[in-house]
Amino acid sequence: MDKIIGLLIVLLSFFVIKLVFVNKKIKMLHQIKMQQLKDMITMLTQKQRNLNQKATISSNYQNQYKLDMKKLNDEIFLLQKRIFELLSKK
């Protein structure tokens, strides 16, 4: 009976030691994955900033283009009006 209890204690001790090593390994993997996640979040944040800057530049360009086209259309209209006035005088 003593031998069985002793053997059981030894087996349980090995099992506990194995669990401790497995737990350390899992913690290490968890830390690595968390660091990778932090790196990805940092990278995505930087890409989001770049995208916002590009969107702002594109929006500014688009607004300026619309204003320029409106001015050009107004100028064309005035020139056409002037041409018709000159032709009607002749």
Side-chain angles (χ1 to χ4, degrees), residues 2 4 6 14-16 21 25 30 39 41 43-44 46-47 53 62 64-65 73-76 78 80-81 88:
D2 290 337
I4 293 175
F14 283 128
F15 184 69
V16 168
F21 284 121
K25 183 179 177 183
H30 176 71
D39 293 343
I41 288 172
M43 181 180 63
L44 287 174
Q46 182 62 36
K47 285 184 178 183
Q53 288 174 350
Q62 197 171 26
Q64 187 62 41
Y65 177 78
N73 287 335
D74 291 343
E75 188 70 27
I76 289 172
L78 291 174
Q80 286 175 343
K81 184 178 175 184
S88 64

Side-chain angles (χ1 to χ4, degrees), residues 1-11:
M1 185 72 163
D2 290 337
K3 289 182 182 182
I4 293 175
I5 293 174
L7 183 61
L8 188 59
I9 289 174
V10 169
L11 287 175

Side-chain angles (χ1 to χ4, degrees), residues 44-75:
L44 287 174
T45 303
Q46 182 62 36
K47 285 184 178 183
Q48 183 67 36
R49 282 190 203 120
N50 291 342
L51 183 62
N52 286 341
Q53 288 174 350
K54 289 178 182 179
T56 302
I57 291 169
S58 176
S59 177
N60 291 341
Y61 175 78
Q62 197 171 26
N63 290 337
Q64 187 62 41
Y65 177 78
K66 286 179 183 179
L67 288 173
D68 291 344
M69 288 305 290
K70 186 177 183 317
K71 287 179 186 177
L72 182 62
N73 287 335
D74 291 343
E75 188 70 27

Side-chain angles (χ1 to χ4, degrees), residues 77-90:
F77 178 75
L78 291 174
L79 289 174
Q80 286 175 343
K81 184 178 175 184
R82 181 81 174 167
I83 288 172
F84 287 132
E85 287 175 358
L86 291 173
L87 289 176
S88 64
K89 287 183 182 179
K90 288 188 178 185

Side-chain angles (χ1 to χ4, degrees), residues 12-35:
L12 287 175
S13 297
F14 283 128
F15 184 69
V16 168
I17 291 171
K18 183 177 179 181
L19 285 178
V20 168
F21 284 121
V22 169
N23 190 29
K24 284 183 182 181
K25 183 179 177 183
I26 290 173
K27 281 184 181 181
M28 189 89 123
L29 287 173
H30 176 71
Q31 289 175 349
I32 291 170
K33 294 293 182 182
M34 289 302 292
Q35 186 60 42

